[in-house]
């Protein structure tokens, strides 16, 4: 592991975040029976202080993090903030923004590989979109090391579970919102071959939304979160004895949520929710949008049918240029939506087309390409050149006006396009690509997290690279078909100057 020089590390005050007290963390964590984690400390430094309606009165937590929708209160709905605002040290709302991947990462969202949903995914790895069988205990250890490295570089690392839990023990509004979201995941249905009419009249209530809400109201917070992540359906049938009902269960677990890159992209304009190719991952998009709402991070919008967009296909370089891969997962319709709705914020957009291969091992652009700086990259060697049977072709669009880009170049071989734009390319061997050598995370200012020791050494030895590399054993996570870029969503970077 190559250490990061102390001069590159910044304090929380330097990064512009308000420090918040630990008072509201300890009660919450102890109520959940959990130790005070580093993730929760990061969350409390970034997330808003929640004001809540308690016993008919609004309470003020001495913070300007949010205000309340009085009309909502009058209508009898749970009081909640219009937007749960996170503030920086100057009192301004923290905005999701990412001009380029060499800018300084400040806030990253991850999902730990733990819980029943991952256990279920591990029962049949291939059907769960995994590459290999998974050892969950080893995966937890590897992911914890990944989070530590980011925190050692002064990145605020927030986990999905703790975002979902945030504020729910202290504030009724936050608790009710989590319960309401859980209704999307928990389904009651009649067993095949039976209809509601087969039930006794008094038993039909137990198939209703009212009964579901009652069940969720009595769950603990960890129960609610696990219910969301296992995404269960309870199949009911009459038993004609005892309680009158019998049940069987099926599940569609969110076993790929460890890869928080895929559900959205963070552009120079903000967050755009994607649309995933695999139907079993649909709930992940809604769940991540719910997390952003809790953090006070605005979502610009959602990709609509017929568009498909997955975050691993988006690699922003600078305000002048962003790369979007299309092929096996993302498509051109999504790119047109991004440009037409002015959700990007880049002068040029290079659409990298995978027209000749579309292989699962290279499903996203970040499987074959990674940015080390604004002018140096790593790239799968065997797809370089006009004669390569797996070459990628680039269509370049140039910004004209809000909602309007024009096609400036078409079908330019990818490596040639990079050379035309004065990039230095460090080639990656085919076997190393299969071992996730391209799937790096740039924490900014050429501070790279890699999962491949040989490629890490090759990067450091390159005369075009002047930064630092930290290499970790991430193999228990890569078994699930992704590495550190896939397993992180950087929602805020600050310019690298």
């Amino acid at each position: 592991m190559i250490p990061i020089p102390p001069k590159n590390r910044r304090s929380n005050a330097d990064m512009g975040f308000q420090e918040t007290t630990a008072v509201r963390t300890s009660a919450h964590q102890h109520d959940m029976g959990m130790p005070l984690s580093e993730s929760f400390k990061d969350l409390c430094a970034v997330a808003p202080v929640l004001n809540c309606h308690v016993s008919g009165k609004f309470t003020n937590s001495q913070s300007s993090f949010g205000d309340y929708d009085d009309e909502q209160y009058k209508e009898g709905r749970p009081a909640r903030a219009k937007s749960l605002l996170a503030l920086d040290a100057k009192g301004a709302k923290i905005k999701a923004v990412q001009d380029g991947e060499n800018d300084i990462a400040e806030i990253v969202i991850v999902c730990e590989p733990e819980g029943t949903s991952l256990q279920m995914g591990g029962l049949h790895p291939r059907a769960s979109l995994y590459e290999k069988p998974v050892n969950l205990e080893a995966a937890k250890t590897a992911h914890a090391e990944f989070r530590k490295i980011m925190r050692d570089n002064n990145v605020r690392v927030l986990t999905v579970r703790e975002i979902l839990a945030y504020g729910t023990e202290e504030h009724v509004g936050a608790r009710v919102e989590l319960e309401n979201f859980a209704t999307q995941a928990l389904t009651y249905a009649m067993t095949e071959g039976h209809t509601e009419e087969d039930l006794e009249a008094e038993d039909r209530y137990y198939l209703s939304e009212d009964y579901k809400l009652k069940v969720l109201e009595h769950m603990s917070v960890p129960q609610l979160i696990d219910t969301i992540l296992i995404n269960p359906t309870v199949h009911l049938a009459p038993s004609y004895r005892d309680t009158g009902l019998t049940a069987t269960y099926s599940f569609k677990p969110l076993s790929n949520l460890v890869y928080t890159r895929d559900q959205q992209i963070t552009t120079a304009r903000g967050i755009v929710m994607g649309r995933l190719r695999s139907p079993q991952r649909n709930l992940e998009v809604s769940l991540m949008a719910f997390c952003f709402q809790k953090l006070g991070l605005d979502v610009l919008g959602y990709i609509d049918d017929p568009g498909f967009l997955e975050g691993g296909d988006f690699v922003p370089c600078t305000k002048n240029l962003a790369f979007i891969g299309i092929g096996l997962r993302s498509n051109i319709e999504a790119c047109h939506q991004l440009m037409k709705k002015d959700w990007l914020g880049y002068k040029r957009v290079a659409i990298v087309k995978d027209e000749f291969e579309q292989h699962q091992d290279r499903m996203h652009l970040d499987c074959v390409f990674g940015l080390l700086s604004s002018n140096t990259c790593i790239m799968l060697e065997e797809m370089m050149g006009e004669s390569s049977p797996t070459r990628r072709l680039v269509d370049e669009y140039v910004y004209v006006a809000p909602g309007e880009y024009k096609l400036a170049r078409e079908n330019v071989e990818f490596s040639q396009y990079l050379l035309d734009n004065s990039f230095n390319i460090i080639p990656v061997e085919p076997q190393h690509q299969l071992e996730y050598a391209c799937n790096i995370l740039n924490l900014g200012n050429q501070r790279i997290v890699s999962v491949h020791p040989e490629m890490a050494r090759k990067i450091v030895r390159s005369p075009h690279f002047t930064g630092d590399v930290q290499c970790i054993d991430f193999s228990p996570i890569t078994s699930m078909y992704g590495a550190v870029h896939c397993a992180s969503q950087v929602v805020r970077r600050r310019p690298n100057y």
Side-chain angles (χ1 to χ4, degrees):
M1 184 181 295
I2 301 174
I4 303 298
K7 67 179 181 180
N8 286 341
R9 300 187 174 167
R10 296 168 63 88
S11 69
N12 296 330
D14 290 338
M15 292 169 65
F17 292 121
Q18 281 186 332
E19 292 292 347
T20 57
T21 68
V23 173
R24 59 197 169 104
T25 71
S26 58
H28 171 92
Q29 292 269 307
H30 290 164
D31 285 347
M32 292 182 68
M34 293 160 40
L36 188 62
S37 70
E38 291 300 318
S39 173
F40 206 83
K41 293 175 185 176
D42 281 346
L43 178 59
C44 289
V46 174
V49 175
L50 305 180
N51 295 343
C52 285
H53 178 255
V54 180
S55 303
K57 299 179 181 179
F58 286 105
T59 60
N60 191 324
S61 58
Q62 306 300 318
S63 168
S64 57
F65 280 86
D67 55 19
Y68 280 88
D69 186 341
D70 292 333
E71 291 303 315
Q72 187 180 63
Y73 168 59
K74 291 174 184 176
E75 293 173 12
R77 294 196 295 271
R80 59 179 296 277
K82 290 179 181 177
S83 59
L84 306 179
L85 305 181
L87 306 182
D88 65 15
K90 297 179 182 178
K93 182 177 179 181
I94 291 179
K95 181 180 183 295
V97 62
Q98 184 177 217
D99 292 349
E101 293 207 347
N102 195 46
D103 286 347
I104 306 300
E106 291 188 337
I107 305 174
V108 175
I109 297 178
V110 300
C111 185
E112 315 98 311
E114 62 181 46
T116 307
S117 60
L118 267 293
Q119 172 65 26
M120 289 180 172
L123 296 177
H124 197 292
R126 196 69 178 177
S128 300
L129 308 180
Y130 294 173
E131 182 180 9
K132 302 172 184 176
V134 176
N135 181 320
L136 287 183
E137 292 306 311
K140 291 177 188 178
T141 300
H143 201 275
E145 176 64 15
F146 178 42
R147 299 196 302 273
K148 181 180 184 299
I149 283 178
M150 289 190 284
R151 291 193 179 105
D152 286 346
N153 284 278
N154 285 314
V155 178
R156 292 292 187 186
V157 183
L158 315 182
T159 71
V160 168
R161 281 181 174 270
E162 291 190 322
I163 294 171
L164 293 175
Y166 178 69
T168 54
E169 296 290 346
E170 299 91 347
H171 305 300
V172 177
R175 164 78 196 208
V176 169
E177 287 192 339
L178 185 62
E179 291 170 5
N180 289 342
F181 188 85
T183 64
Q184 298 180 46
L186 176 59
T187 301
Y188 293 160
M190 293 301 297
T191 300
E192 187 176 355
H194 290 278
T195 67
E196 188 173 343
E197 285 69 33
D198 296 333
L199 300 177
E200 298 291 339
E202 61 269 25
D203 288 334
R204 294 173 190 173
Y205 164 72
Y206 298 104
L207 191 65
S208 69
E209 288 296 308
D210 287 343
Y211 181 67
K212 184 198 295 186
L213 283 170
K214 182 179 179 180
V215 169
L216 294 171
E217 285 174 14
H218 284 77
M219 288 185 180
S220 68
V221 171
Q223 264 185 289
L224 281 171
I225 294 172
D226 281 340
T227 297
I228 292 167
L229 296 182
I230 64 176
N231 198 13
T233 297
V234 183
H235 304 274
L236 299 168
S239 67
Y240 306 110
R241 53 172 295 173
D242 302 324
T243 61
L245 295 169
T246 185
T248 57
Y249 305 86
S250 63
F251 306 90
K252 296 180 180 178
L254 277 60
S255 51
N256 298 103
L257 191 60
V258 67
Y259 297 125
T260 52
R261 178 70 52 171
D262 294 340
Q263 304 83 8
Q264 65 285 301
I265 64 173
T266 303
T267 74
R269 293 268 193 261
I271 296 170
V272 179
M273 303 310 299
R275 186 162 175 262
L276 306 182
R277 287 280 185 177
S278 300
Q280 67 204 71
R281 302 191 65 187
N282 287 343
L283 187 61
E284 294 179 30
V285 176
S286 298
L287 179 60
M288 291 300 290
F290 181 79
C291 289
F292 298 140
Q293 174 207 328
K294 289 198 71 172
L295 293 173
L297 298 174
D298 293 335
V299 170
L300 296 173
Y302 291 71
I303 294 298
D304 296 322
D305 185 29
F308 287 99
L309 178 67
E310 302 195 1
D313 278 319
F314 179 69
V315 183
C317 182
T318 64
K319 285 278 282 186
N320 187 53
L321 177 63
F323 299 93
I324 306 177
I326 63 173
L328 188 63
R329 296 299 181 87
S330 303
N331 64 12
I332 190 63
E333 288 81 6
C335 297
H336 287 318
Q337 290 180 38
L338 290 169
M339 291 185 284
K340 184 175 182 179
K341 295 180 180 181
D342 201 25
W343 287 343
L344 290 170
Y346 304 99
K347 292 180 181 179
R348 294 182 297 148
V349 178
I351 297 177
V352 184
K353 302 182 295 185
D354 177 7
E355 296 182 342
F356 306 110
E357 185 182 30
Q358 298 196 11
H359 193 283
Q360 174 72 8
D361 289 338
R362 288 163 289 282
M363 69 185 98
H364 292 138
L365 182 60
D366 67 0
C367 295
V368 296
F369 172 71
L371 288 173
L372 302 174
S373 71
S374 59
N375 66 355
T376 300
C377 66
I378 55 178
M379 184 177 181
L380 175 58
E381 187 172 28
E382 71 175 8
M383 74 178 199
M384 296 168 59
E386 289 284 357
S387 61
S388 169
T390 61
R391 66 192 179 278
R392 271 54 166 171
L393 302 178
V394 174
D395 292 348
E396 182 187 81
Y397 288 80
V398 177
Y399 179 84
V400 176
E404 183 181 357
Y405 280 78
K406 69 176 181 181
L407 182 61
R409 302 180 70 186
E410 190 172 9
N411 292 327
V412 183
E413 190 273 320
F414 190 18
S415 65
Q416 185 59 53
Y417 178 84
L418 292 170
L419 294 173
D420 292 346
N421 283 274
S422 301
F423 274 84
N424 304 300
I425 303 173
I426 301 175
V428 177
E429 296 177 19
Q431 183 57 40
H432 292 173
Q433 182 275 324
L434 292 173
E435 297 162 352
Y436 299 93
C438 293
N439 202 260
I440 57 170
L441 179 62
N442 189 334
L443 297 178
N445 195 26
Q446 300 187 64
R447 295 173 300 161
I448 307 300
V449 182
S450 171
V451 303
H452 197 277
E454 290 182 61
M455 193 63 210
R457 290 176 177 274
K458 188 173 183 179
I459 290 170
V460 169
R461 288 170 176 155
S462 170
H464 305 299
F465 181 75
T466 59
D468 291 300
V469 178
Q470 291 178 273
C471 190
I472 62 174
D473 178 7
F474 214 56
S475 56
I477 307 290
T478 61
S479 295
M480 292 180 261
Y481 249 129
V484 288
H485 195 266
C486 300
S488 57
Q489 179 60 219
V490 183
V491 294
R492 180 174 171 84
R493 293 182 185 265
R494 60 178 171 79
N496 183 22
Y497 51 77

